[in-house]
Amino acid sequence: MLKNIFRQEKIAVVLLGIMLACLPTIGANSGKVSVTVHEPGPKHPLPCRAWVSVGNKRLFKPTTESCTSYARDRSFSCDGQFVIDVPVGKAVIHIERGKEYWPVDKEIIVELSQTSKVAIALKRWVNMCEEGWYSSDIHCHFGLDDLRILKQLALADDVNFEPILTLWNHQSPVPSGGIWPDWPSGSSIHADATHLVTLRNQEIERIGGGPFESVGALLMFGLTKPVKMPPQGSRYPCDAVLGRIARETSPECIIDTDKPIWGENVVGVALGLFDSVQVCHNHYHRKATLQDGRVGWGMAGADIEQQQNDWIQDELFHRTNSTYYRFLNCGFKLAATGGSAMGVMAVPLGYGRTYAKLNGLLTEANYLDAIRAGRTFATNGPILILTANSLDSGAEIQYSTAYNEPIRIKAELRSIQRINSLELIYNGKVIKTLNLGDRVPSPVLEESAVMELKPQRSGWIAARAVFTSPDGHLRQAHTSPVYVTVDDKPTASKNDAQYMIRWIDRLLEVSRKPDRYQSGNERIETQKIFKKARDIYENIARKAIEVWPDNP
């Protein structure tokens, strides 16, 4: 009998040890924090993103099952309520909801084995939907297999339009028969009236290698049918061919560059492949800038601009903008966009985001139309809206030098963070700067840059608000351009077209490497496309000399 008693006690001790081992490591010296988040007035739970800081450590794994942790950002999204185990003592609850709400950091004292109930009100500082502008993140890889998570993300990070990349290289299953699956909810799912998730989107990414060796990261939205994926590891066919297929099978789709600086983008832009360029892209993180990744980029390290002093600290920022400006100077119309690559990068949904001004209700078609029309701005924080003669970004102005009336330009900035400068840009050159480094938002920084311009050559006008991230690198909000045609002459820059010709010549050198393609025919077909793009830039350079002889 005693043996049975001892055996039972031994079993009980073992079971107790197993139970203790399964408890959270902070459980022996912790309490619980129960948080409800709401807007002022109504007490309905408000979806949001959160974490709890204890010293230098972030806690981001609540016990509430409906929450979704994202380890790369050390945060979680929730439906407006969560419970989390926290060590006893001082802790800080961080709550945020995208760009349009004031973030909250609430300090509490956690008591042993007690539940601290906390209610937090999130207040808006701006409501862009009321002004007709809707946010999006056009680079998202997270939550694909769970519509509940996708809807929660859209609401928690307040991203109005969330086109999840349903297909991404060979990480995603390819639909059988080359058609999209018949999703029960359809290809567009509303989380609520102002938050929409769409599913018929694809990324084909082929990056890495030495200089100029990356093909690119082709982002395609609103596809009627998927584009057939190239074999894994293949550089054939080139992005321009894949983009042409997308256009033929899905005429209303939008194609984005991811970044303007990838190797073959110079070809795709020339051939009319792209609608937009991410200037607030996935290398800009909360507290750091991912500066590596120069391998495979276009002209990185290959042109004299790298030697400029202001490029030493922020080459990524300057090269992103400079490349975008060169494309615009060659006469191509490209909207400015932003995306985060949540699921791959250490940022939440919408850290880099696009705002688009819609005509009508929030639908996939209306949003893609707005990007196509260039009624956008991209941002890592500030709100920035450009008008020229009261016309929005993307508009085209016909200007006559004989008429001699100036174009009135206005850039309106709103921000809850400090801004270094607000700048107006004409054909890639800063023509007006407001230095705002000594201005402290109180509570919102509101500023306008206004000027009159009598353009002497065709081109474009844009605005940007530049600020410094915690690691000392530059970030921005950047508008799409307003395009100006002067005396019916085209936009054409000899210098920028020649820059693109040098870029393609380097691509042609890379294309001759013995192991670049699987066969001689693949190489020949690709080189033909590269040379076709080169011819287009040569025509632009000649045209610039013909129509702008004094300012090539």
Side-chain angles (χ1 to χ4, degrees):
M1 183 175 179
L2 286 175
K3 286 183 178 180
N4 288 335
I5 293 173
F6 288 144
R7 186 183 301 126
Q8 290 172 2
E9 287 181 349
K10 189 174 182 179
I11 292 171
V13 170
V14 171
L15 290 173
L16 179 61
I18 293 172
M19 290 173 64
L20 291 174
C22 292
L23 290 174
T25 56
I26 61 174
N29 190 32
S30 72
K32 292 184 180 295
V33 177
S34 176
V35 178
T36 301
V37 181
H38 58 87
E39 291 191 271
K43 300 302 181 183
H44 306 297
L46 180 68
C48 61
R49 181 164 296 279
W51 65 77
V52 177
S53 295
V54 178
N56 293 324
K57 184 178 181 181
R58 272 194 199 175
L59 308 178
F60 57 91
K61 295 182 178 179
T63 59
T64 308
E65 290 186 2
S66 61
C67 296
T68 306
S69 296
Y70 183 46
R72 291 180 185 271
D73 186 53
R74 294 181 299 159
S75 67
F76 61 91
S77 56
C78 71
D79 296 328
Q81 294 176 315
F82 64 89
V83 177
I84 188 169
D85 292 316
V86 180
V88 298
K90 186 169 69 175
V92 177
I93 304 168
H94 176 86
I95 305 292
E96 62 182 41
R97 192 171 193 251
K99 307 295 189 190
E100 300 181 30
Y101 287 76
W102 293 96
V104 170
D105 288 294
K106 186 174 181 63
E107 185 176 301
I108 62 168
I109 301 298
V110 180
E111 297 182 1
L112 180 64
S113 301
Q114 300 296 309
T115 298
S116 302
K117 294 187 176 181
V118 181
I120 294 176
L122 278 187
K123 300 178 181 178
R124 280 188 177 273
W125 66 272
V126 68
N127 191 332
M128 296 303 292
C129 287
E130 289 186 351
E131 301 178 28
W133 292 85
Y134 292 79
S135 65
S136 68
D137 183 333
I138 63 170
H139 197 168
C140 180
H141 296 288
F142 189 78
L144 171 61
D145 297 327
D146 194 327
L147 285 178
R148 182 196 66 80
I149 290 176
L150 291 174
K151 290 192 284 187
Q152 183 186 77
L153 289 177
L155 294 168
D157 292 311
D158 194 27
V159 172
N160 303 119
F161 181 70
E162 181 190 353
I164 180 72
L165 291 162
T166 307
L167 286 180
W168 175 35
N169 290 357
H170 300 272
Q171 285 84 353
S172 307
V174 178
S176 60
I179 59 174
W180 295 113
D182 185 16
W183 289 292
S185 303
S187 62
S188 296
I189 301 98
H190 273 93
D192 67 11
T194 57
H195 295 86
L196 178 68
V197 179
T198 69
L199 300 173
R200 295 182 178 180
N201 314 297
Q202 180 177 5
E203 178 180 10
I204 299 177
E205 178 183 45
R206 294 174 292 174
I207 61 177
F212 301 90
E213 290 191 356
S214 286
V215 176
L218 201 64
L219 298 171
M220 298 167 284
F221 304 96
L223 294 173
T224 304
K225 61 183 297 184
V227 175
K228 184 179 179 181
M229 208 81 68
Q232 196 161 1
S234 173
R235 307 294 176 88
Y236 176 87
C238 64
D239 267 356
V241 170
L242 299 179
R244 187 183 304 146
I245 293 170
R247 290 269 183 249
E248 291 172 353
T249 59
S250 307
E252 301 303 314
C253 75
I254 289 292
I255 304 179
D256 186 271
T257 63
D258 173 56
K259 300 176 189 67
I261 50 185
W262 288 123
E264 286 189 11
N265 282 355
V266 63
V267 177
V269 170
L271 299 179
L273 168 62
F274 294 112
D275 300 284
S276 56
V277 168
Q278 286 188 40
V279 292
C280 293
H281 50 65
N282 60 4
H283 278 220
Y284 299 127
H285 298 178
R286 286 183 187 268
K287 293 186 177 180
T289 300
L290 191 60
Q291 291 271 72
D292 63 350
R294 296 179 66 196
V295 291
W297 288 359
M299 293 291 277
D303 62 279
I304 196 170
E305 277 190 312
Q306 186 189 354
Q307 308 305 318
Q308 296 181 15
N309 290 333
D310 61 348
W311 283 49
I312 295 173
Q313 168 75 5
D314 280 291
E315 180 182 354
L316 178 64
F317 175 88
H318 292 297
R319 188 171 295 284
T320 294
N321 286 353
S322 174
T323 305
Y324 179 40
Y325 300 163
R326 288 184 183 278
F327 286 140
L328 295 173
N329 286 347
C330 287
F332 301 107
K333 292 180 170 60
L334 297 162
T337 54
S340 68
M342 184 186 185
V344 177
M345 296 297 191
V347 285
L349 189 72
Y351 178 75
R353 70 178 60 195
T354 308
Y355 275 91
K357 190 173 186 180
L358 304 192
N359 286 334
L361 300 175
L362 174 61
T363 65
E364 178 183 52
N366 283 344
Y367 207 100
L368 298 183
D369 283 346
I371 293 177
R372 186 180 295 106
R375 296 190 303 273
T376 68
F377 67 89
T379 185
N380 286 129
I383 301 298
L384 183 63
I385 295 176
L386 172 74
T387 57
N389 286 352
S390 299
L391 299 173
D392 290 315
S393 297
E396 300 183 28
I397 295 175
Q398 301 294 323
Y399 184 81
S400 169
T401 53
Y403 184 55
N404 206 35
E405 281 292 320
I407 296 172
R408 189 174 190 274
I409 309 167
K410 185 176 184 180
E412 298 177 274
L413 168 71
R414 286 169 284 179
S415 177
I416 58 173
Q417 60 200 97
R418 298 189 71 155
I419 301 296
N420 299 355
S421 61
L422 174 59
E423 301 169 349
L424 297 179
I425 304 161
Y426 170 54
N427 290 356
K429 305 296 183 183
V430 177
I431 56 173
K432 184 179 181 68
T433 301
L434 296 183
N435 292 313
L436 304 174
D438 59 349
R439 294 276 300 278
V440 178
S442 57
V444 178
L445 172 63
E446 298 187 67
E447 188 58 77
S448 297
V450 179
M451 72 171 292
E452 293 185 340
L453 174 69
K454 294 181 178 180
Q456 296 302 303
R457 61 180 297 161
S458 299
W460 53 275
I461 302 160
R464 68 186 184 198
V466 180
F467 64 99
T468 305
S469 65
D471 67 348
H473 289 294
L474 297 180
R475 302 286 168 81
Q476 65 184 344
H478 201 299
T479 72
S480 291
V482 170
Y483 302 97
V484 181
T485 299
V486 176
D487 295 336
D488 295 322
K489 295 179 180 180
T491 298
S493 165
K494 173 188 172 184
N495 291 338
D496 294 308
Q498 289 178 335
Y499 179 93
M500 301 305 176
I501 291 169
R502 295 196 300 274
W503 185 342
I504 293 178
D505 286 342
R506 294 296 296 269
L507 284 178
L508 287 167
E509 288 180 21
V510 169
S511 75
R512 298 184 191 107
K513 290 186 175 182
D515 59 349
R516 181 68 175 176
Y517 303 105
Q518 296 297 313
S519 69
N521 284 338
E522 288 187 0
R523 177 177 292 104
I524 291 169
E525 287 182 30
T526 302
Q527 288 175 343
K528 284 181 179 178
I529 295 170
F530 288 177
K531 290 174 182 177
K532 182 177 180 181
R534 193 184 191 280
D535 289 343
I536 291 171
Y537 289 115
E538 285 186 339
N539 288 334
I540 292 170
R542 283 194 295 270
K543 191 179 297 181
I545 296 171
E546 293 168 1
V547 300
W548 309 110
D550 297 327
N551 189 8

